[in-house]
Each structure stands twice: as C-alpha cells, then as structure tokens.
Coordinates of all heavy atoms in Angstrom, one line a residue:
M301 N 136.6 95.4 87.7 CA 135.5 94.7 87.1 C 134.4 94.4 88.1 O 133.2 94.6 87.8 CB 136.0 93.3 86.5 CG 134.9 92.5 85.8 SD 134.5 93.4 84.3 CE 133.6 92.2 83.5
K302 N 134.7 94.1 89.4 CA 133.7 93.8 90.4 C 133.0 95.1 90.7 O 131.8 95.1 91.0 CB 134.4 93.3 91.7 CG 134.8 91.8 91.5 CD 135.4 91.3 92.8 CE 135.9 89.9 92.7 NZ 136.4 89.4 94.0
K303 N 133.7 96.2 90.7 CA 133.0 97.5 91.0 C 132.0 97.8 89.9 O 131.0 98.4 90.2 CB 134.1 98.6 91.1 CG 134.9 98.6 92.3 CD 135.9 99.7 92.4 CE 136.7 99.6 93.7 NZ 137.7 100.8 93.7
L304 N 132.4 97.5 88.6 CA 131.5 97.8 87.5 C 130.2 96.9 87.7 O 129.1 97.4 87.5 CB 132.1 97.5 86.2 CG 131.3 97.7 84.9 CD1 130.8 99.1 84.8 CD2 132.0 97.3 83.7
I305 N 130.4 95.7 88.0 CA 129.2 94.8 88.2 C 128.4 95.2 89.3 O 127.1 95.3 89.2 CB 129.7 93.3 88.4 CG1 130.3 92.8 87.1 CG2 128.6 92.4 88.8 CD1 131.0 91.5 87.2
T306 N 129.0 95.6 90.4 CA 128.3 96.1 91.6 C 127.5 97.4 91.3 O 126.3 97.5 91.6 CB 129.2 96.3 92.8 OG1 129.9 95.1 93.1 CG2 128.5 96.8 94.0
A307 N 128.2 98.3 90.6 CA 127.5 99.6 90.2 C 126.3 99.3 89.3 O 125.3 99.9 89.4 CB 128.5 100.5 89.6
T308 N 126.5 98.4 88.3 CA 125.4 98.1 87.4 C 124.2 97.5 88.1 O 123.1 97.8 87.9 CB 125.9 97.1 86.3 OG1 127.0 97.7 85.6 CG2 124.8 96.8 85.3
A309 N 124.5 96.5 89.0 CA 123.5 95.9 89.8 C 122.7 96.9 90.7 O 121.5 96.9 90.8 CB 124.1 94.8 90.7
M310 N 123.5 97.8 91.3 CA 122.8 98.8 92.1 C 121.9 99.8 91.3 O 120.8 100.1 91.7 CB 123.9 99.6 92.9 CG 124.5 98.8 94.0 SD 125.7 99.7 95.0 CE 124.6 100.9 95.8
T311 N 122.4 100.1 90.1 CA 121.6 101.0 89.2 C 120.4 100.3 88.8 O 119.3 100.9 88.8 CB 122.5 101.4 88.0 OG1 123.7 102.0 88.4 CG2 121.7 102.2 87.0
M312 N 120.4 99.0 88.5 CA 119.3 98.3 88.1 C 118.3 98.2 89.3 O 117.1 98.3 89.1 CB 119.6 96.9 87.6 CG 120.4 97.0 86.2 SD 120.9 95.4 85.6 CE 119.4 94.6 85.3
F313 N 118.8 98.0 90.5 CA 117.9 97.9 91.6 C 117.2 99.2 91.9 O 116.0 99.1 92.0 CB 118.8 97.5 92.9 CG 118.0 97.6 94.2 CD1 117.1 96.6 94.5 CD2 118.1 98.7 95.0 CE1 116.4 96.7 95.7 CE2 117.4 98.8 96.2 CZ 116.5 97.8 96.5
F314 N 117.9 100.3 91.8 CA 117.2 101.6 92.1 C 116.3 101.9 90.9 O 115.2 102.5 91.2 CB 118.2 102.7 92.3 CG 118.9 102.5 93.7 CD1 120.3 102.4 93.7 CD2 118.2 102.5 94.8 CE1 121.0 102.2 94.9 CE2 118.9 102.4 96.1 CZ 120.2 102.2 96.1
A315 N 116.6 101.6 89.7 CA 115.8 101.9 88.6 C 114.5 101.0 88.7 O 113.4 101.5 88.4 CB 116.5 101.6 87.3
G316 N 114.7 99.8 89.1 CA 113.5 98.9 89.3 C 112.6 99.4 90.4 O 111.4 99.4 90.3
S317 N 113.2 99.9 91.5 CA 112.4 100.4 92.6 C 111.6 101.7 92.1 O 110.5 101.9 92.4 CB 113.3 100.8 93.8 OG 113.9 99.6 94.3
A318 N 112.3 102.5 91.4 CA 111.6 103.7 90.9 C 110.5 103.4 89.9 O 109.4 104.0 89.9 CB 112.6 104.6 90.2
F319 N 110.7 102.4 89.0 CA 109.7 101.9 88.1 C 108.5 101.4 88.9 O 107.3 101.7 88.5 CB 110.2 100.8 87.2 CG 109.2 100.3 86.2 CD1 108.7 101.1 85.2 CD2 108.6 99.1 86.5 CE1 107.8 100.6 84.3 CE2 107.6 98.6 85.6 CZ 107.2 99.3 84.5
A320 N 108.7 100.6 89.9 CA 107.6 100.0 90.7 C 106.8 101.2 91.4 O 105.6 101.1 91.4 CB 108.1 99.1 91.8
A321 N 107.5 102.2 91.9 CA 106.8 103.3 92.5 C 106.0 104.1 91.5 O 104.9 104.5 91.7 CB 107.8 104.2 93.2
S322 N 106.6 104.3 90.3 CA 105.9 105.0 89.2 C 104.7 104.3 88.8 O 103.6 104.8 88.6 CB 106.9 105.2 88.1 OG 106.2 105.7 87.0
T323 N 104.8 103.0 88.6 CA 103.6 102.2 88.2 C 102.5 102.3 89.2 O 101.4 102.4 88.9 CB 104.1 100.7 88.0 OG1 105.1 100.6 87.0 CG2 102.9 99.8 87.6
A324 N 102.9 102.2 90.5 CA 101.9 102.3 91.6 C 101.2 103.6 91.6 O 100.0 103.7 91.6 CB 102.5 102.0 92.9
L325 N 102.0 104.7 91.4 CA 101.4 106.0 91.4 C 100.6 106.2 90.1 O 99.6 106.9 90.1 CB 102.5 107.1 91.5 CG 103.1 107.2 92.9 CD1 104.3 108.2 92.8 CD2 102.1 107.7 93.9
D326 N 101.0 105.6 89.0 CA 100.3 105.7 87.8 C 98.9 105.1 87.9 O 97.9 105.6 87.4 CB 101.0 105.1 86.6 CG 102.3 105.9 86.2 OD1 102.4 107.1 86.6 OD2 103.1 105.3 85.5
Q327 N 98.9 103.9 88.6 CA 97.6 103.2 88.8 C 96.7 104.0 89.7 O 95.5 104.2 89.4 CB 97.8 101.8 89.4 CG 98.4 100.9 88.3 CD 98.5 99.5 88.8 OE1 97.5 98.9 89.1 NE2 99.7 99.0 88.9
R328 N 97.3 104.6 90.7 CA 96.5 105.5 91.6 C 95.9 106.7 90.8 O 94.8 107.0 91.0 CB 97.4 105.9 92.8 CG 96.9 107.0 93.7 CD 95.8 106.5 94.5 NE 95.0 107.6 95.1 CZ 94.6 107.7 96.3 NH1 94.9 106.7 97.1 NH2 93.9 108.7 96.8
A329 N 96.8 107.3 90.0 CA 96.3 108.4 89.2 C 95.2 108.0 88.3 O 94.3 108.8 88.0 CB 97.5 109.1 88.5
A330 N 95.4 106.9 87.7 CA 94.3 106.4 86.7 C 93.0 106.2 87.4 O 92.0 106.6 86.9 CB 94.8 105.1 86.0
I331 N 93.0 105.6 88.6 CA 91.8 105.4 89.3 C 91.2 106.7 89.7 O 90.0 106.9 89.6 CB 92.0 104.4 90.5 CG1 92.3 103.0 90.0 CG2 90.7 104.3 91.4 CD1 92.8 102.0 91.0
D332 N 92.0 107.6 90.2 CA 91.5 108.9 90.6 C 90.9 109.6 89.4 O 89.8 110.2 89.5 CB 92.7 109.8 91.1 CG 93.2 109.4 92.5 OD1 92.5 108.7 93.2 OD2 94.3 109.8 92.8
N333 N 91.5 109.5 88.2 CA 91.0 110.1 87.0 C 89.7 109.5 86.6 O 88.7 110.2 86.3 CB 92.0 110.0 85.9 CG 91.6 110.7 84.6 OD1 91.2 111.8 84.7 ND2 91.7 110.0 83.5
Y334 N 89.6 108.2 86.6 CA 88.4 107.5 86.2 C 87.2 107.8 87.2 O 86.1 107.8 86.8 CB 88.6 106.0 86.2 CG 89.5 105.4 85.1 CD1 90.3 104.4 85.4 CD2 89.5 106.0 83.8 CE1 91.1 103.8 84.4 CE2 90.3 105.5 82.8 CZ 91.1 104.4 83.1 OH 91.9 103.9 82.1
A335 N 87.6 108.1 88.4 CA 86.6 108.5 89.4 C 86.3 110.0 89.4 O 85.7 110.5 90.4 CB 87.0 108.0 90.8
G336 N 86.7 110.7 88.4 CA 86.4 112.1 88.3 C 87.1 112.9 89.3 O 86.7 114.0 89.7
G337 N 88.3 112.5 89.7 CA 89.1 113.2 90.7 C 88.7 113.0 92.1 O 89.3 113.6 93.0
D338 N 87.8 112.1 92.4 CA 87.4 111.8 93.8 C 88.4 110.8 94.3 O 88.4 109.6 94.1 CB 86.0 111.1 93.8 CG 85.5 110.8 95.2 OD1 86.3 111.0 96.2 OD2 84.3 110.4 95.3
T339 N 89.4 111.3 95.1 CA 90.5 110.5 95.6 C 90.0 109.5 96.6 O 90.7 108.5 96.9 CB 91.6 111.4 96.2 OG1 91.0 112.1 97.2 CG2 92.2 112.3 95.1
S340 N 88.8 109.6 97.2 CA 88.4 108.7 98.2 C 88.1 107.3 97.5 O 88.1 106.3 98.2 CB 87.1 109.2 98.9 OG 86.0 109.3 98.0
V341 N 87.9 107.3 96.2 CA 87.6 106.0 95.5 C 88.8 105.2 95.5 O 88.8 104.0 95.9 CB 87.0 106.3 94.1 CG1 86.9 105.0 93.4 CG2 85.7 107.0 94.2
A342 N 90.0 105.8 95.1 CA 91.2 105.0 95.0 C 91.7 104.7 96.4 O 92.4 103.7 96.7 CB 92.3 105.8 94.3
D343 N 91.3 105.5 97.4 CA 91.7 105.3 98.8 C 91.2 103.9 99.3 O 91.8 103.4 100.2 CB 91.2 106.4 99.7 CG 92.0 107.7 99.6 OD1 93.1 107.6 99.1 OD2 91.5 108.7 100.1
I344 N 90.1 103.5 98.7 CA 89.6 102.2 99.1 C 90.6 101.1 98.9 O 90.8 100.2 99.7 CB 88.3 101.9 98.4 CG1 87.2 102.9 98.8 CG2 87.8 100.4 98.7 CD1 86.0 102.8 97.9
M345 N 91.3 101.2 97.7 CA 92.3 100.1 97.3 C 93.7 100.4 97.8 O 94.5 99.4 98.0 CB 92.3 100.0 95.8 CG 91.2 99.2 95.3 SD 91.6 98.7 93.6 CE 90.1 98.1 93.0
M346 N 94.2 101.6 97.8 CA 95.6 101.9 98.0 C 95.8 103.3 98.7 O 94.8 104.1 98.8 CB 96.3 102.0 96.7 CG 95.8 102.9 95.7 SD 96.4 102.7 94.0 CE 95.7 101.2 93.4
D347 N 97.0 103.4 99.3 CA 97.3 104.7 100.0 C 97.7 105.8 99.0 O 97.6 105.5 97.8 CB 98.3 104.5 101.1 CG 99.7 104.1 100.6 OD1 100.0 104.3 99.4 OD2 100.5 103.7 101.4
E348 N 98.0 106.9 99.5 CA 98.3 108.1 98.7 C 99.5 107.8 97.7 O 99.7 108.5 96.7 CB 98.6 109.3 99.5 CG 97.4 109.8 100.3 CD 97.3 109.0 101.6 OE1 98.2 108.3 102.1 OE2 96.1 108.9 102.2
Q349 N 100.4 106.9 98.1 CA 101.6 106.6 97.3 C 101.3 105.5 96.3 O 102.2 105.1 95.6 CB 102.8 106.2 98.2 CG 103.4 107.4 98.9 CD 102.6 107.8 100.1 OE1 102.0 107.0 100.8 NE2 102.5 109.1 100.4
G350 N 100.1 105.0 96.3 CA 99.8 103.9 95.4 C 100.1 102.5 95.9 O 100.0 101.5 95.2
V351 N 100.4 102.4 97.2 CA 100.7 101.1 97.8 C 99.4 100.4 98.2 O 98.5 101.0 98.8 CB 101.6 101.3 99.1 CG1 101.8 99.9 99.8 CG2 102.9 102.0 98.7
D352 N 99.3 99.2 97.7 CA 98.1 98.4 98.0 C 97.8 98.2 99.5 O 98.7 98.0 100.2 CB 98.2 97.0 97.3 CG 98.2 97.0 95.8 OD1 97.6 98.0 95.2 OD2 98.8 96.1 95.2
R353 N 96.6 98.4 99.9 CA 96.2 98.2 101.3 C 96.1 96.7 101.5 O 96.0 95.9 100.6 CB 94.8 98.8 101.5 CG 94.8 100.3 101.3 CD 93.6 101.0 101.9 NE 93.7 102.4 101.6 CZ 94.4 103.3 102.3 NH1 95.1 102.9 103.3 NH2 94.3 104.6 102.0
T354 N 96.2 96.3 102.8 CA 96.1 94.9 103.2 C 94.6 94.5 102.8 O 93.7 95.3 102.7 CB 96.3 94.7 104.7 OG1 95.2 95.4 105.4 CG2 97.6 95.2 105.2
D355 N 94.5 93.2 102.7 CA 93.1 92.7 102.4 C 92.1 93.1 103.4 O 91.0 93.5 103.1 CB 93.2 91.1 102.3 CG 93.9 90.6 101.1 OD1 94.1 91.4 100.2 OD2 94.4 89.5 101.2
E356 N 92.5 93.1 104.7 CA 91.5 93.5 105.8 C 91.2 95.0 105.7 O 90.0 95.3 105.8 CB 92.1 93.2 107.1 CG 92.4 91.7 107.4 CD 93.6 91.1 106.8 OE1 94.5 91.9 106.4 OE2 93.7 89.9 106.6
D357 N 92.2 95.8 105.4 CA 91.9 97.2 105.3 C 91.1 97.5 104.1 O 90.1 98.3 104.1 CB 93.3 98.0 105.2 CG 93.1 99.5 105.4 OD1 92.0 100.0 105.8 OD2 94.1 100.2 105.1
F358 N 91.4 96.9 103.0 CA 90.6 97.0 101.7 C 89.1 96.7 102.0 O 88.2 97.4 101.6 CB 91.2 96.2 100.6 CG 90.2 95.9 99.5 CD1 89.8 97.0 98.7 CD2 89.7 94.7 99.3 CE1 88.9 96.8 97.6 CE2 88.8 94.4 98.2 CZ 88.4 95.5 97.4
M359 N 88.9 95.5 102.6 CA 87.5 95.1 102.8 C 86.8 96.0 103.8 O 85.6 96.3 103.6 CB 87.5 93.7 103.3 CG 87.8 92.6 102.3 SD 86.9 92.8 100.7 CE 85.2 92.5 101.2
A360 N 87.5 96.5 104.8 CA 86.8 97.4 105.8 C 86.5 98.7 105.1 O 85.4 99.3 105.3 CB 87.8 97.7 106.9
R361 N 87.4 99.2 104.2 CA 87.1 100.5 103.5 C 86.0 100.3 102.5 O 85.2 101.2 102.2 CB 88.4 101.0 102.8 CG 89.4 101.6 103.8 CD 90.7 101.9 103.1 NE 91.6 102.4 104.1 CZ 91.7 103.7 104.4 NH1 91.0 104.6 103.9 NH2 92.6 104.1 105.4
W362 N 86.0 99.1 101.8 CA 84.9 98.8 100.8 C 83.5 98.8 101.5 O 82.6 99.4 101.1 CB 85.2 97.5 100.1 CG 84.0 97.0 99.2 CD1 83.2 96.0 99.5 CD2 83.6 97.6 98.0 NE1 82.3 95.9 98.4 CE2 82.5 96.9 97.5 CE3 84.1 98.7 97.2 CZ2 81.9 97.2 96.3 CZ3 83.5 99.0 96.0 CH2 82.4 98.2 95.6
D363 N 83.5 98.1 102.7 CA 82.2 98.0 103.4 C 81.8 99.4 103.9 O 80.6 99.6 104.0 CB 82.4 97.0 104.6 CG 82.5 95.6 104.2 OD1 82.1 95.3 103.0 OD2 83.0 94.8 105.0
A364 N 82.7 100.3 104.3 CA 82.4 101.6 104.8 C 82.1 102.6 103.7 O 81.6 103.7 104.0 CB 83.5 102.1 105.7
A365 N 82.4 102.3 102.5 CA 82.3 103.3 101.4 C 80.8 103.5 101.1 O 79.9 102.6 101.3 CB 82.9 102.7 100.1
T366 N 80.5 104.7 100.6 CA 79.1 105.0 100.2 C 78.8 104.3 98.9 O 79.7 103.8 98.2 CB 79.0 106.5 99.9 OG1 79.8 106.9 98.8 CG2 79.4 107.4 101.1
P367 N 77.5 104.1 98.7 CA 77.1 103.4 97.4 C 77.7 104.2 96.2 O 78.1 103.5 95.2 CB 75.6 103.5 97.4 CG 75.2 103.6 98.9 CD 76.3 104.3 99.5
E368 N 77.8 105.5 96.3 CA 78.4 106.2 95.1 C 79.9 105.9 95.0 O 80.3 105.8 93.8 CB 78.2 107.8 95.4 CG 76.8 108.2 95.3 CD 76.0 108.0 96.7 OE1 76.6 107.7 97.7 OE2 74.8 108.1 96.6
Q369 N 80.6 105.8 96.1 CA 82.0 105.5 96.0 C 82.2 104.1 95.5 O 83.1 103.8 94.7 CB 82.7 105.6 97.4 CG 82.8 107.0 97.9 CD 83.2 107.1 99.3 OE1 82.8 106.3 100.1 NE2 84.1 108.0 99.6
Q370 N 81.4 103.2 95.9 CA 81.4 101.8 95.4 C 81.2 101.7 93.9 O 81.9 101.1 93.2 CB 80.5 100.9 96.2 CG 80.9 100.6 97.6 CD 79.9 99.8 98.4 OE1 78.8 99.6 98.0 NE2 80.4 99.2 99.5
A371 N 80.1 102.4 93.5 CA 79.8 102.4 92.1 C 81.0 103.1 91.3 O 81.3 102.6 90.2 CB 78.5 103.2 91.8
A372 N 81.6 104.1 91.8 CA 82.7 104.8 91.1 C 83.9 103.9 91.0 O 84.6 103.9 90.0 CB 83.1 106.1 91.8
L373 N 84.1 103.1 92.0 CA 85.2 102.1 91.9 C 85.0 101.0 90.9 O 85.8 100.6 90.1 CB 85.5 101.5 93.3 CG 86.8 100.6 93.4 CD1 88.0 101.3 92.8 CD2 87.0 100.1 94.8
V374 N 83.8 100.5 90.9 CA 83.4 99.5 89.9 C 83.6 100.1 88.5 O 84.1 99.5 87.6 CB 81.9 99.0 90.1 CG1 81.5 98.2 88.9 CG2 81.8 98.2 91.4
D375 N 83.1 101.4 88.3 CA 83.2 102.0 87.0 C 84.7 102.2 86.6 O 85.1 102.0 85.5 CB 82.5 103.4 87.0 CG 81.0 103.3 87.0 OD1 80.5 102.2 86.7 OD2 80.4 104.3 87.3
A376 N 85.5 102.6 87.6 CA 87.0 102.8 87.4 C 87.6 101.5 87.0 O 88.5 101.5 86.1 CB 87.7 103.4 88.6
C377 N 87.2 100.4 87.6 CA 87.7 99.1 87.2 C 87.3 98.7 85.8 O 88.2 98.3 85.0 CB 87.2 98.0 88.2 SG 88.0 98.0 89.8
D378 N 86.1 99.0 85.5 CA 85.6 98.7 84.1 C 86.3 99.6 83.1 O 86.7 99.1 82.0 CB 84.1 99.0 84.0 CG 83.2 98.0 84.7 OD1 83.7 96.9 85.0 OD2 82.1 98.3 85.0
Q379 N 86.6 100.8 83.4 CA 87.3 101.7 82.4 C 88.7 101.3 82.3 O 89.3 101.3 81.2 CB 87.2 103.2 82.9 CG 85.8 103.8 82.7 CD 85.7 105.2 83.1 OE1 86.1 105.6 84.2 NE2 85.2 106.1 82.2
G380 N 89.3 100.9 83.4 CA 90.7 100.5 83.3 C 90.9 99.2 82.5 O 91.8 99.1 81.7
Q381 N 89.9 98.3 82.6 CA 89.9 97.1 81.8 C 89.6 97.5 80.3 O 90.3 96.9 79.4 CB 88.8 96.1 82.3 CG 88.9 94.8 81.5 CD 87.8 93.8 82.1 OE1 86.9 94.2 82.9 NE2 88.0 92.6 81.7
A382 N 88.7 98.3 80.0 CA 88.4 98.7 78.7 C 89.6 99.4 78.0 O 89.9 99.2 76.8 CB 87.2 99.7 78.6
D383 N 90.3 100.2 78.8 CA 91.5 100.9 78.3 C 92.8 100.0 78.3 O 93.9 100.5 77.9 CB 91.8 102.2 79.1 CG 90.8 103.2 78.9 OD1 90.0 103.2 78.0 OD2 90.8 104.2 79.8
E384 N 92.6 98.8 78.7 CA 93.7 97.8 78.8 C 94.8 98.3 79.7 O 96.0 98.1 79.4 CB 94.1 97.4 77.4 CG 93.0 96.7 76.6 CD 93.5 96.3 75.2 OE1 94.6 96.5 74.8 OE2 92.6 95.7 74.5
L385 N 94.5 99.0 80.8 CA 95.5 99.5 81.7 C 96.1 98.3 82.4 O 95.4 97.3 82.8 CB 94.8 100.4 82.7 CG 95.8 101.2 83.6 CD1 96.6 102.2 82.8 CD2 94.9 102.0 84.6
A386 N 97.4 98.3 82.6 CA 98.1 97.1 83.2 C 98.0 97.2 84.7 O 99.0 97.6 85.4 CB 99.5 97.1 82.7
F387 N 96.8 97.0 85.3 CA 96.7 97.0 86.7 C 97.5 95.9 87.3 O 97.7 94.8 86.7 CB 95.2 96.8 87.1 CG 94.3 98.0 87.0 CD1 93.0 97.8 86.6 CD2 94.8 99.2 87.3 CE1 92.2 98.9 86.5 CE2 93.9 100.3 87.2 CZ 92.6 100.2 86.8
T388 N 98.0 96.0 88.6 CA 98.7 95.0 89.3 C 97.8 93.8 89.5 O 96.5 94.0 89.4 CB 99.3 95.5 90.6 OG1 98.2 95.8 91.5 CG2 100.2 96.6 90.4
D389 N 98.3 92.7 89.8 CA 97.5 91.5 90.2 C 96.5 91.8 91.3 O 95.4 91.4 91.3 CB 98.4 90.3 90.5 CG 99.1 89.8 89.3 OD1 98.7 90.1 88.1 OD2 100.1 89.0 89.5
T390 N 97.0 92.6 92.3 CA 96.2 92.9 93.5 C 95.0 93.8 93.0 O 93.9 93.5 93.4 CB 97.0 93.6 94.5 OG1 98.1 92.7 94.9 CG2 96.2 93.9 95.7
V391 N 95.3 94.8 92.2 CA 94.2 95.7 91.8 C 93.2 94.9 90.9 O 92.0 95.0 91.1 CB 94.8 96.9 91.1 CG1 93.6 97.7 90.4 CG2 95.6 97.8 92.0
Q392 N 93.7 94.0 90.0 CA 92.8 93.2 89.2 C 92.0 92.3 90.1 O 90.8 92.2 89.8 CB 93.6 92.4 88.2 CG 94.3 93.2 87.1 CD 95.1 92.3 86.2 OE1 95.0 91.1 86.2 NE2 96.0 92.9 85.4
S393 N 92.6 91.7 91.1 CA 91.8 90.8 92.0 C 90.7 91.6 92.7 O 89.6 91.1 92.9 CB 92.8 90.2 92.9 OG 92.1 89.4 93.9
R394 N 91.1 92.8 93.2 CA 90.1 93.6 93.9 C 89.0 94.1 93.0 O 87.9 94.3 93.5 CB 90.8 94.7 94.7 CG 91.6 94.0 95.8 CD 92.4 95.0 96.7 NE 93.1 94.2 97.7 CZ 94.0 94.7 98.5 NH1 94.3 96.0 98.4 NH2 94.5 93.9 99.4
C395 N 89.4 94.4 91.8 CA 88.3 94.8 90.8 C 87.3 93.7 90.6 O 86.1 93.9 90.6 CB 88.9 95.2 89.5 SG 89.6 96.9 89.5
K396 N 87.8 92.4 90.6 CA 86.9 91.3 90.5 C 86.0 91.2 91.7 O 84.8 90.9 91.6 CB 87.7 90.0 90.3 CG 88.3 89.9 88.9 CD 89.0 88.6 88.8 CE 89.7 88.5 87.4 NZ 90.4 87.2 87.3
I397 N 86.6 91.5 92.9 CA 85.8 91.4 94.1 C 84.7 92.5 94.1 O 83.5 92.2 94.4 CB 86.7 91.6 95.4 CG1 87.6 90.4 95.6 CG2 85.9 91.9 96.6 CD1 88.7 90.6 96.6
V398 N 85.0 93.7 93.8 CA 84.0 94.8 93.8 C 83.0 94.6 92.7 O 81.8 95.1 92.9 CB 84.7 96.2 93.8 CG1 85.6 96.4 94.9 CG2 85.3 96.5 92.4
K399 N 83.3 93.9 91.7 CA 82.4 93.7 90.6 C 81.5 92.5 90.8 O 80.6 92.2 90.1 CB 83.1 93.6 89.2 CG 83.7 94.9 88.8 CD 84.6 94.8 87.6 CE 83.9 94.2 86.4 NZ 84.6 94.3 85.2
G400 N 81.9 91.7 91.9 CA 81.1 90.6 92.3 C 81.4 89.3 91.5 O 80.6 88.4 91.4
N401 N 82.6 89.3 90.8 CA 83.0 88.1 90.0 C 83.8 87.1 90.9 O 84.6 87.4 91.6 CB 83.9 88.6 88.9 CG 83.2 89.4 87.9 OD1 81.9 89.4 87.8 ND2 83.9 90.3 87.2

C-alpha cells in the first residue's frame, strides 16, 4: 500500500512539473505569436524555456528594448487579455507595468 501511495505521489509530482513547463512554454509561444514571431519581444519577460526573468533582468531588458519591441509587447499583453489567455501572475503583473497601469 505504501508503494502505491508513493508511486501515485511521484506520478502527480512529475505530471505537475510537466504541466507547469507546458504552461510556461505555451505562454512564451503565445507572446511570440502575438508579436508576429519576433522572439525578442517575449525575451523581455522570459527565457527560451518560458521561465520568468528576475524583476531586475526584466526591467533592464524593457529599458533596453526598442520602441517597436516595447509596443509589440504591449500589443501582445492586450491580445492575451482579449483572448482571455491565462497568463501567470508574473506575466500579468509585467503586462500592467509595460502598459503603464
């Protein structure tokens, strides 16, 4: 019985980890898509695996972004909100920052 419980717990853990990674990559893909395939736009918020950047790294990248990249990120945030995409709390918060809210 203990082996069954342990096996079930481990399966749930790994499935949860895979879901989290999938969600992160899905958000990354959505932002890339909204930005017309310009991956540099999503790079402002997250790395290639969809992992959120630190606040300091995000702000440095936002400040260094071109006006076109900044506008594309604002548009991607707007489109994600209009499509009711379930962005993470971090992405939602950063969308508010880039939109000036």
Side-chain angles (χ1 to χ4, degrees):
M301 182 68 166
K302 286 183 183 180
K303 288 182 182 181
L304 178 61
I305 293 171
T306 301
T308 302
M310 289 182 68
T311 300
M312 292 176 67
F313 171 76
F314 289 120
S317 297
F319 177 75
S322 174
T323 301
L325 288 174
D326 290 345
Q327 289 188 60
R328 169 70 196 221
I331 293 172
D332 287 341
N333 184 48
Y334 290 144
D338 183 355
T339 59
S340 68
V341 174
D343 284 342
I344 296 168
M345 283 196 189
M346 57 192 71
D347 68 15
E348 296 81 21
Q349 289 76 37
V351 176
D352 294 330
R353 298 195 181 279
T354 64
D355 290 338
E356 295 79 18
D357 191 15
F358 161 68
M359 288 308 299
R361 287 172 182 272
W362 173 253
D363 291 340
T366 66
E368 293 81 12
Q369 290 169 319
Q370 290 179 344
L373 184 54
V374 170
D375 289 345
C377 287
D378 287 343
Q379 287 181 308
Q381 184 177 15
D383 291 345
E384 297 180 1
L385 191 66
F387 283 143
T388 63
D389 291 343
T390 301
V391 172
Q392 288 179 17
S393 173
R394 291 179 178 172
C395 280
K396 287 181 181 179
I397 290 170
V398 302
K399 292 171 59 173
N401 296 336

